[in-house]
Amino acid sequence: MSEARKKMLDKVRAMLNNSGRTEEEMMAFLAKARELMATYEISESELKEQAEKAQIYRTAPSDPYEIKKNLCVNVGRFTSTKAFRDREEVINFAGKPSDIIFATWLLDTLQRFVMRALRQHQKDLISKGKFHSNNLTSASFVAGCTHRINEKLKELAPVNWATTQELIVKELNMSLTKSRAGRKNISEKDAAAGIKAGNSARFDRPVEAGGRFYLK
């Protein structure tokens, strides 16, 4: 099979699986998918035979301020993957290869976004003579920022994310246990600044190699 044919099949599958959108958008995607199937003579059986198999990908361990740890669960829901941490506390994504690529790209991009926002917050405090070099200030800002981003990811996640994750876990025969997050002291003022920064985050799937994370 040619690479062009494979990409076309992936495109049609993506259109058929857009169940997290509005009813009008779903119908438009379905109509376009059927049009492409007719134009390129794509059968239902071909779509099923060439479907991607689920796999697991281990991300890079670097995670300052536990930004990735705070965001990975909802990034997984948003990208139709299953996020989990292994025994070494490194984040893994399970799912279709194309979805894993999106998930890891988005998580890395969000981490960079939060770090840029944190550095700007620190500069603003320094200019006002209010910055105290302690972990509480930074950790509180990050907590607020990731909290707001998580809220937005939840709002945008496909409505069938839970079913998708159940299928991934079943296909890979995964055995996962839940972990409890400890409570941390935070500075409400710095957390509020982080929430405000998180409001500017927007998300989009990268297009080929030219995709990017968009900010207002």
Side-chain angles (χ1 to χ4, degrees):
M1 180 187 296
S2 68
E3 187 64 25
R5 181 72 174 180
K6 185 177 182 299
K7 287 184 177 180
M8 181 55 65
L9 292 175
D10 289 340
K11 183 176 182 179
V12 173
R13 289 192 199 97
M15 290 180 175
L16 293 174
N17 292 331
N18 265 291
S19 57
R21 298 175 179 271
T22 65
E23 183 176 355
E24 292 78 8
E25 289 176 319
M26 287 170 58
M27 295 304 295
F29 271 103
L30 180 60
K32 183 62 178 178
R34 293 302 179 188
E35 179 185 333
L36 291 174
M37 289 174 69
T39 301
Y40 293 93
E41 299 182 348
I42 299 173
S43 66
E44 296 281 355
S45 59
E46 186 177 13
L47 289 173
K48 293 179 181 178
E49 289 173 2
Q50 299 297 330
E52 295 178 296
K53 294 183 178 180
Q55 59 181 243
I56 296 175
Y57 176 79
R58 194 171 193 256
T59 68
S62 177
D63 190 16
Y65 298 103
E66 296 188 336
I67 296 172
K68 290 184 177 181
K69 179 181 178 181
N70 291 339
L71 294 174
C72 67
V73 171
N74 286 302
V75 165
R77 293 171 179 173
F78 177 72
T79 59
S80 298
T81 60
K82 176 67 176 180
F84 65 95
R85 299 197 306 278
D86 57 28
R87 293 180 179 179
E88 297 177 4
E89 292 296 307
V90 177
I91 296 166
N92 291 251
F93 283 108
K96 297 178 180 179
S98 59
D99 292 331
I100 290 176
I101 291 173
F102 181 28
T104 54
W105 171 85
L106 181 58
L107 190 62
D108 287 339
T109 306
L110 286 171
Q111 182 190 50
R112 291 193 295 271
F113 166 70
V114 175
M115 288 301 297
R116 286 197 302 270
L118 173 60
R119 287 193 289 269
Q120 184 59 53
H121 177 60
Q122 292 171 339
K123 289 180 180 178
D124 291 343
L125 292 178
I126 291 173
S127 66
K128 298 175 183 177
K130 297 181 179 180
F131 180 68
H132 301 285
S133 182
N134 60 57
N135 191 58
L136 179 62
T137 296
S138 299
S140 298
F141 179 89
V142 169
C145 192
T146 55
H147 173 76
R148 181 62 186 121
I149 292 174
N150 274 324
E151 288 183 333
K152 300 185 75 172
L153 287 169
K154 289 177 183 178
E155 294 170 2
L156 295 169
V159 294
N160 64 336
W161 66 263
T163 300
T164 299
Q165 291 191 344
E166 288 175 3
L167 292 174
I168 291 171
V169 170
K170 183 177 181 180
E171 180 179 347
L172 293 172
N173 194 27
M174 299 167 65
S175 178
L176 303 174
T177 58
K178 293 183 178 180
S179 60
R180 295 183 179 181
R183 298 185 64 180
K184 299 180 180 179
N185 294 325
I186 64 170
S187 161
E188 293 186 5
K189 189 173 183 178
D190 292 306
I195 291 173
K196 183 178 180 180
N199 282 329
S200 67
R202 296 181 62 183
F203 320 97
D204 197 9
R205 181 183 287 269
V207 180
E208 298 297 334
R212 63 182 62 184
F213 178 70
Y214 295 96
L215 303 180
K216 291 182 179 178

